[in-house]
Amino acid sequence: MSMLSDLLADLSSLLFPSGCVVCGGDVSSSMHGICTMCRYSIPLTNFWKTEDNPTKEHFAGIIPLVHASSFFYFSHDSQWRSLIHRFKYGGEWRLAESFGRWYGRELRESGLYDDVDVVMPVPLHFIKAIKRGYNQSSYLAESIAREIGKPTDRRSVRRHRNNPPQSRSSMGERWANVENLFSVVNPKALSGKHILLVDDVLTTGATLPLFKQSKLFIICNAKMLQSIKGIL
């Protein structure tokens, strides 16, 4: 019985660690896995508090957005770089879930995203999803959706190619990699909806215009609201 209890305790600590998901420090249950020190040290953008901000300006004239924001700045020499790698490649999906809840509360309190109808993660190709075991953008999107009280749609847009990772590509290569990448497979579900599209990292911004290319706006008469995890 003791061996079983130890095994269950080890499993519980693995799936539901009690410490901060970022640094491992002490954290209360009300803080959703992120301690006070990490909350104060993260380089938040606060873009979700204003109509006009650099993320929205990034896509000006490229795609018709209602709102756009990013959560925090990416810095190559900070712990936040390793955090992104951990939830994106290291199997630590709980990080994405924790940050999604935090970001979702910020979006809700800003009031700018009250007219969202549905939250949609950027799709991951099924081969990559099988290898990685999950889509980190789905965890972000689902957590944000719970906080703002909206449904999540993970099925209406499909990714057709398992394109190579963007992190080591040049800007020109990144745009070429995502050409003709997505299509809408259930336009009726999205018709006339305000869609909050969630991705994990903003680099060149090459992904978002591909949703316009996939006729998401033309077929569905949808309005896009962009919410992105970090800026590179």
Side-chain angles (χ1 to χ4, degrees), residues 174-185:
R174 290 180 183 188
W175 282 97
N177 286 344
V178 296
E179 188 175 3
N180 299 315
L181 194 59
F182 302 104
S183 69
V184 179
V185 295

Side-chain angles (χ1 to χ4, degrees), residues 122-130 132 134-136 159 182:
V122 170
L124 197 64
H125 192 269
F126 76 92
I127 292 177
K128 191 170 290 184
I130 291 171
R132 189 173 295 173
Y134 61 96
N135 177 1
Q136 68 280 357
R159 192 182 199 116
F182 302 104

Side-chain angles (χ1 to χ4, degrees), residues 93-231:
W93 52 266
R94 188 169 173 267
L95 282 168
E97 201 171 54
S98 296
F99 276 89
R101 289 199 299 268
W102 183 3
Y103 198 9
R105 289 195 302 277
E106 298 289 351
L107 295 178
R108 184 184 67 224
E109 291 172 7
S110 78
L112 292 177
Y113 293 78
D114 291 347
D115 57 353
V116 169
D117 294 312
V118 62
V119 182
M120 177 184 295
V122 170
L124 197 64
H125 192 269
F126 76 92
I127 292 177
K128 191 170 290 184
I130 291 171
K131 288 181 178 178
R132 189 173 295 173
Y134 61 96
N135 177 1
Q136 68 280 357
S137 293
S138 287
Y139 281 107
L140 287 169
E142 288 165 6
S143 298
I144 288 171
R146 283 196 296 271
E147 291 296 330
I148 66 175
K150 305 295 180 179
T152 307
D153 186 330
R154 295 182 288 108
R155 300 180 183 276
S156 294
V157 175
R158 182 173 298 165
R159 192 182 199 116
H160 292 291
R161 288 187 287 108
N162 185 21
N163 59 312
Q166 300 283 69
S167 59
R168 295 183 179 87
S169 301
S170 67
M171 185 175 295
E173 289 171 336
R174 290 180 183 188
W175 282 97
N177 286 344
V178 296
E179 188 175 3
N180 299 315
L181 194 59
F182 302 104
S183 69
V184 179
V185 295
N186 189 5
K188 186 177 180 180
L190 301 178
S191 180
K193 299 289 180 65
H194 278 203
I195 302 165
L196 177 61
L197 179 68
V198 178
D199 205 355
D200 55 354
V201 175
L202 171 64
T203 50
T204 62
T207 301
L208 184 58
L210 269 296
F211 280 79
K212 182 179 181 181
Q213 187 184 81
S214 70
K215 302 188 185 303
L216 181 61
F217 296 92
I218 298 171
I219 295 175
C220 304
N221 189 30
K223 295 181 180 179
M224 188 74 75
L225 300 98
Q226 175 79 347
S227 175
I228 313 175
K229 181 78 175 136
I231 295 181

